Each structure stands twice: as structure tokens, then as C-alpha cells.
Amino acid sequence: MRKSEARELIKQAYAAWDAEEWRRAADLYEQVLAHFPDEKPSAEWWYDAALGHKFLRDWDKAYELGVQAAARAPRGEGDPAFWNLGIAATIRRDWATARDAWAGFGLELPDGEGEIDGGFGHACVRLDTGGEREVVWIERLCPTRGRVMNVPVTGGRRYGEIVVHDGEPNGERVVDGTAFPVFDELLLFEPSDLPTSRVTVAAGDSADLEALLALFADHGFGAEPASSLTVHCACCSEGTLHKEPTGPHEGAQRVSLAAPEDEARRLLDRWAGEKAIGRSWSGLEIMG
């Protein structure tokens, strides 16, 4: 391939990229890179080709090309080639490459080898289930994985599942002056075996409901009142939302639970029996 031909293909790749034709753009870049892998601008071409396959959710190709992009990127300077490789390597469960990618980006990781299970703080993830979207809180296990800490209301999603999320935030939630990023989900990494159910509870005061939520949490399960759910349009959801902390309230209300049915019933009975009056439950319904 002559350099004049390569320049024409790169021009076509840029046009395809602007048109969000990710596969065509990536294919054109690869044609050029097969002949000119180490020209001065090739690092950018490797990166764009890998990114195109990331957009296509072709994780094997994103990994393959991402390795090449990262090999040509400066280490320790926050180069996004390392972040994209870290995502692809995580999805492939190639923990050695993922660890090296995060270090290449400039992040500090917990010591050790294998799967990364660290404390990376809290964030939000926008779950995407067949076009149904729901923002939930996660406990971040690594730069791109998090454990869902809410009881999702979207069908089929569960408390405790682990998701892989994108690296660039798409919105934020501000609580007590602290901003938390909202990331878009890339895929479900590990499902949860905790079924979701809904129940009607009657709480004499807010402390009664707080006790129920704490009881389930203490046993590694989830409980979330319907009053904690708010609905926003897409534009608002992808912007900055200030979340006023509101505690549980008294009265009859629906609560979503994440626990095996027998455990849910046992804990509900225990909670109701701890006070002679003011606490009761009914209508436990398994949702899936």
C-alpha cells in the first residue's frame, strides 16, 4: 500500500467516524495499520479502531486493538487507551492485562494478582435492560466494575449483581454537596441469585421502617421503600441532579426486597414481632 492510498483510507475513516459508522471506520483504520503500524499518527489510529469496536461491544476486537493502542501510549499520564484496554481486559477476565492497563493509566490498585476487589467508593450506574433504563447506586470494586446496592425495579435486574460500566460519566448526582458520577452500563458481569419481591408494610413511625431496612442489610440482603424511587426524563437524568436525603417515613407503603422468600418472611416476622404494635406486613409477592 502506498502512502497516498493510506492517506485516502484515513480520510474515509474520519468521515465514517463522524457519521458514527464505527465498523467501517475501524475496518479502514485496520487496513492502513496492517501496512503502517508505527507511523507517527498510528497511535491515534490504533486507539480509534479499538474505540470503534468498543462502541460495537465487540470486546475481543476492542481488546486486540487496545493492546496495540496502549503499547504506543505514554504510561502514567491518563491516556484513554489504557482505560479502554482496562475495560476490555476486565470483560475478558484477563486480570493481569487489566491491572497493567490501570497502572498504565496512572491509577493505584490494591496489591495482589487476579480479580480486583477494592474499595473505589460509590457511584451511580444507568442500567440498560432492553431499552429500559434505571439509575442505581453501586459500590465500585475496580475502575470499571460495581456491585448494585439498590433493589432495581426494572424487570430482571437484581440487588447485588455486578456490572461493568463505561469510563466517562453521563450525568451526576449531588448528595449533601458531594457529586457522584453516573456511568452508563456496558454489560452485566455477574448476576445475583437474590430474587426480588415486594411487600406492603405498615410502620408506626420512621424509626420502624429504618429498623426494617437495617435488618435486611445486616443479613446481606436489600430492602428499599417505593418512596425512594423518582422518575426523570432522559435529559434530566443525564444532567446534574441534586438529591435531597430523605429518610424512611411512617405509614403503610410498598417495599422492594432482595432476599430468598423464606428469609424474607422470617425477617419480616422478626421485625414485626419486635414491637407489640405499630409494625405489620402483608402481601409478599415474588417478582423474579
Side-chain angles (χ1 to χ4, degrees), residues 228-244:
S228 66
L229 177 67
T230 55
V231 178
H232 303 282
C233 67
C235 291
C236 292
S237 177
E238 294 174 1
T240 297
L241 290 176
H242 291 262
K243 305 288 288 184
E244 296 297 332

Side-chain angles (χ1 to χ4, degrees), residues 16-93:
W17 189 271
D18 290 341
E20 298 186 357
E21 297 174 358
W22 312 123
R23 190 173 303 282
R24 173 169 166 74
D27 288 345
L28 289 166
Y29 283 126
E30 288 183 78
Q31 289 181 46
V32 174
L33 289 165
H35 297 273
F36 301 103
D38 292 308
E39 294 294 307
K40 186 175 181 180
S42 67
E44 176 187 340
W45 302 339
W46 285 111
Y47 172 77
D48 283 347
L51 185 60
H53 284 292
K54 175 195 165 190
F55 290 156
L56 294 166
R57 304 297 190 256
D58 184 343
W59 299 113
D60 288 339
K61 287 292 290 185
Y63 174 90
E64 173 191 333
L65 299 172
V67 168
Q68 298 296 328
R72 293 162 174 82
R75 293 183 67 87
E77 298 181 13
D79 194 289
F82 289 106
W83 198 282
N84 287 338
L85 177 58
I87 291 174
T90 295
I91 290 171
R92 287 167 54 101
R93 289 175 165 78

Side-chain angles (χ1 to χ4, degrees), residues 125-136 152-157 161 184-185 198 229 232 234 237:
V125 165
R126 183 175 292 103
L127 303 180
D128 190 340
T129 310
E132 288 188 82
R133 296 184 176 184
E134 177 181 358
V135 174
V136 297
V153 298
T154 304
R157 305 311 298 261
E161 64 188 21
D184 288 329
E185 178 186 30
R198 291 178 190 158
L229 177 67
H232 303 282
S237 177

Side-chain angles (χ1 to χ4, degrees), residues 2-13 28 32:
R2 296 191 299 269
K3 286 194 174 181
S4 59
E5 294 175 310
R7 285 194 293 270
E8 178 58 29
L9 290 179
I10 291 299
K11 182 179 178 181
Q12 294 177 30
L28 289 166
V32 174

Side-chain angles (χ1 to χ4, degrees), residues 201-210 225 227 247-254 271 275 278:
V201 303
D205 55 40
S206 60
D208 288 327
L209 191 56
E210 287 175 352
S227 59
H249 60 83
E250 71 281 358
Q253 56 200 287
R254 296 287 280 172
W271 169 77
K275 288 182 68 174

